[in-house]
Amino acid sequence: MRQWGFSSDVPVGGDYNGDAITDLTLFRPSNGVWYSIRGENNSPGAVQWGQSGDRLVPADYDYDGKTDYAVYRPSTGTWWIRRSSDGTHFGVQFGNASDIPLTGDYDGDGRADFVVFRPSSGVWYQLLTTDGFKAVQFGLSTDIPVPGDYDGDGKHDIAVFRQGIWYLLQSTEGFKAVRWGMSGDVPVSVRYDE
């Protein structure tokens, strides 16, 4: 067994170097550094990107097969992306302080989209790389968003977990409710990395 990180670190696995192996990666909120042990050769790495209070939203935003370092800063509603393809970075203002940022490819073009769930209204706001802006009413303020590709069509579906029931709005198969779990359970959704 190998000790990696501290109890205050946040695990954020992903394929940051494009070798098709998930890297052991941690984000340290106290200094905004991502620490990795990468792929099959176990080489260490560290990247400064973010700050305390940021929400982590790593995904492949530039469609190069590598997970990009990315954070959502609630205080400004801004997504800060560090592109793995060329090392450049950019910010996109999309959301507000109370929104929950979510990663995923909702339009099926291979690139992560900017998506937030607004608990106060139950609305999913999406800024899709191919399909543009969409707003979808789906959920209650107490729901836990759990997006994923539940119908296997290559697009992330809108979904929430509510007291042991998964409510899905699938892109090809439509609405579905599945009882799996109990009230108080913590659902784990698939994070978009490809």
Side-chain angles (χ1 to χ4, degrees), residues 36-47:
S36 295
I37 297 176
R38 297 196 177 152
E40 56 193 30
N41 63 5
N42 290 324
S43 63
V47 172

Side-chain angles (χ1 to χ4, degrees), residues 63-101:
Y63 194 49
D64 67 348
K66 298 177 185 177
T67 303
D68 300 311
Y69 298 99
V71 297
Y72 176 78
R73 191 154 297 149
S75 61
T76 61
T78 304
W79 299 67
W80 292 102
I81 314 297
R82 181 176 172 156
R83 293 167 40 122
S84 53
S85 59
D86 59 13
T88 62
H89 60 277
F90 64 97
V92 173
Q93 203 289 318
F94 189 75
N96 66 37
S98 63
D99 290 344
I100 299 171

Side-chain angles (χ1 to χ4, degrees), residues 6-192:
F6 302 112
S7 61
S8 60
D9 292 343
V10 180
V12 282
D15 182 11
Y16 294 88
N17 60 355
D19 64 358
I21 298 173
T22 300
D23 303 312
L24 298 176
T25 305
L26 303 168
F27 176 75
R28 188 158 297 155
S30 62
N31 63 5
V33 175
W34 303 60
Y35 296 95
S36 295
I37 297 176
R38 297 196 177 152
E40 56 193 30
N41 63 5
N42 290 324
S43 63
V47 172
Q48 168 69 50
W49 192 252
Q51 62 189 29
S52 182
D54 286 347
R55 295 184 182 172
L56 309 175
V57 288
D60 187 0
Y61 292 90
D62 54 4
Y63 194 49
D64 67 348
K66 298 177 185 177
T67 303
D68 300 311
Y69 298 99
V71 297
Y72 176 78
R73 191 154 297 149
S75 61
T76 61
T78 304
W79 299 67
W80 292 102
I81 314 297
R82 181 176 172 156
R83 293 167 40 122
S84 53
S85 59
D86 59 13
T88 62
H89 60 277
F90 64 97
V92 173
Q93 203 289 318
F94 189 75
N96 66 37
S98 63
D99 290 344
I100 299 171
L102 302 163
T103 59
D105 179 7
Y106 293 80
D107 55 9
D109 66 356
R111 291 175 288 192
D113 300 305
F114 302 103
V115 176
V116 295
F117 174 68
R118 188 159 296 159
S120 61
S121 61
V123 174
W124 294 65
Y125 293 99
Q126 305 173 328
L127 184 57
L128 309 174
T129 53
T130 298
D131 293 343
F133 177 79
K134 289 185 179 181
V136 179
Q137 171 71 50
F138 193 80
L140 304 174
S141 63
T142 54
D143 289 345
I144 300 170
V146 287
D149 184 2
Y150 294 99
D151 51 12
D153 66 349
K155 298 178 182 179
H156 264 59
D157 302 309
I158 291 173
V160 296
F161 179 79
R162 183 185 309 150
Q163 300 178 350
I165 301 174
W166 298 68
Y167 294 97
L168 314 173
L169 185 57
Q170 300 169 100
S171 49
T172 57
E173 297 181 15
F175 177 79
K176 186 176 189 179
V178 178
R179 179 171 294 282
W180 180 247
M182 299 170 33
S183 181
D185 284 351
V186 178
V188 179
S189 64
V190 175
R191 187 172 53 76
Y192 174 80

